[in-house]
């Protein structure tokens, strides 16, 4: 178990730190959900690494083309489905960062090409 602090807004509109605990089992569960979603989309072999060290900022490396920012562990299967749909529409030469956290862009996937 590791401790972390997240920021939440209380009833008065103030941002306050809230301590939370994240277990290894929670990280493993998130990783397994992602692998299952990759298998369901028949793209599990394309994933080269998965970082679940922070449950608020999960990052998947997809081949040598994309860094995929999944955000937190909510709706992981949906996020992987969206990632796959976007990648299928992109040209083979495109690479960059895909933001599928739905925090910055709540209704779309963000794309930033590698420089």
């Amino acid at each position: 178990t590791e401790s972390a602090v997240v920021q939440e807004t209380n009833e008065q509109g103030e941002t306050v730190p809230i301590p939370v605990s994240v277990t290894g089992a929670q990280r493993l569960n998130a990783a397994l959900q992602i692998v299952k979603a990759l298998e369901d989309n028949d793209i599990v072999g394309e994933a080269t690494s998965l970082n679940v060290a922070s449950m608020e900022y999960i990052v998947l490396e997809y081949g040598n083309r994309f860094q995929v920012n999944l955000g937190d562990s909510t709706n992981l299967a949906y996020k992987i489905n969206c990632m796959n749909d976007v990648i299928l529409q992109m040209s083979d030469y495109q690479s960059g960062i895909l933001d599928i956290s739905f925090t910055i862009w709540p209704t779309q996937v963000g794309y930033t090409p590698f420089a």
Side-chain angles (χ1 to χ4, degrees):
T1 303
E2 294 180 21
S3 295
V5 176
V6 295
Q7 302 292 327
E8 289 192 4
T9 305
N10 63 17
E11 305 84 44
Q12 293 80 25
E14 303 167 330
T15 302
V16 294
I18 305 290
V20 295
S21 295
V22 177
T23 65
Q26 288 171 306
R27 282 196 246 303
L28 178 59
N29 184 44
L32 291 173
Q33 286 179 51
I34 293 166
V35 170
K36 169 116 176 54
L38 291 167
E39 286 177 339
D40 291 346
N41 283 280
D42 199 28
I43 55 174
V44 72
E46 300 297 324
T48 54
S49 73
L50 177 60
N51 185 337
V52 291
S54 168
M55 292 296 288
E56 298 301 313
Y57 191 74
I58 299 171
V59 178
L60 170 70
E61 296 292 331
Y62 187 83
N64 59 357
R65 290 183 57 201
F66 298 104
Q67 174 186 316
V68 183
N69 299 335
L70 296 169
D72 63 20
S73 60
T74 60
N75 301 319
L76 289 170
Y78 175 73
K79 291 175 181 178
I80 296 297
N81 287 338
C82 290
M83 175 199 78
N84 190 39
D85 289 345
V86 167
I87 290 173
L88 289 173
Q89 295 175 32
M90 299 182 89
S91 300
D92 289 341
Y93 64 85
Q94 289 179 292
S95 64
I97 300 170
L98 297 177
D99 187 331
I100 305 180
S101 64
F102 300 115
T103 54
I104 297 171
W105 300 284
T107 60
Q108 64 187 16
V109 174
Y111 170 65
T112 305
F114 288 140

